[in-house]
Amino acid sequence: ANFLDEVKVYYDLTVGAANRTTELMYDYATKSKQKGYKVILAGAGGAAHLPGMVASIPSLPVIGVPVQSKTMSGTDSLYSIVQMPPGIPVATMSIGKGGARNAGIYAASILAIKYPEIKESLNNFRQSLKDKVKKAAEKHNK
């Protein structure tokens, strides 16, 4: 959400659980296309079946973010999301906050194909990354 704010991408944030609020998850995924959503980011911990279940409904790209857990530090979530059976893929990011940020960047990249203003914001962001690296190199080489 923080990255999407940075590049001025509108989003809807909802909290749900595939096993505890199944109706909410199903309703959200079913109505996502009619609401105009283009991509869905789905964080999940433990068994992590939420991204796959959501991906099976609206035929929109789904980006899964494994949530770091106490039990297995998020590796259980990672394996559950990345090992989707063929047919209903879920793009999978790394575990935790870095993966969540990358999910926002990846979603913006998908949207930038169609929306020039998002493409410009994303290009500015990428340029800022290059600038940070150059400044760090200059500082180090002095």
Side-chain angles (χ1 to χ4, degrees):
N2 291 336
F3 179 78
L4 296 176
D5 287 337
E6 287 176 37
V7 294
K8 297 175 179 59
V9 171
Y10 171 79
Y11 59 90
D12 175 30
L13 188 112
T14 291
V15 176
N19 61 333
R20 287 172 277 177
T21 58
T22 308
E23 295 85 6
L24 174 73
M25 183 240 13
Y26 182 81
D27 188 56
Y28 183 87
T30 302
K31 293 179 179 173
S32 61
K33 269 190 156 177
Q34 77 184 56
K35 288 183 175 183
Y37 299 165
K38 306 292 186 232
V39 61
I40 297 173
L41 284 67
H49 51 287
L50 179 95
M53 290 180 72
V54 169
S56 73
I57 298 168
S59 70
L60 290 173
V62 173
I63 303 168
V65 180
V67 173
Q68 191 161 3
S69 61
K70 292 179 183 178
T71 308
M72 297 178 70
S73 298
T75 54
D76 51 342
S77 308
L78 173 67
Y79 292 152
S80 293
I81 298 170
V82 80
Q83 293 290 13
M84 287 296 298
I88 308 291
V90 174
T92 308
M93 298 296 128
S94 59
I95 299 167
K97 290 181 182 180
R101 184 163 178 85
N102 277 345
I105 295 167
Y106 191 63
S109 298
I110 292 169
L111 296 170
I113 294 168
K114 183 174 181 178
Y115 301 100
E117 64 279 7
I118 296 173
K119 184 176 183 176
E120 182 179 347
S121 292
L122 192 58
N123 286 340
N124 291 338
F125 164 74
R126 289 181 175 171
Q127 184 60 51
S128 75
L129 293 178
K130 291 177 187 178
D131 293 344
K132 285 179 188 176
V133 172
K134 287 178 185 177
K135 283 181 185 178
E138 289 170 4
K139 184 179 177 181
H140 179 72
N141 290 327
K142 287 186 179 182

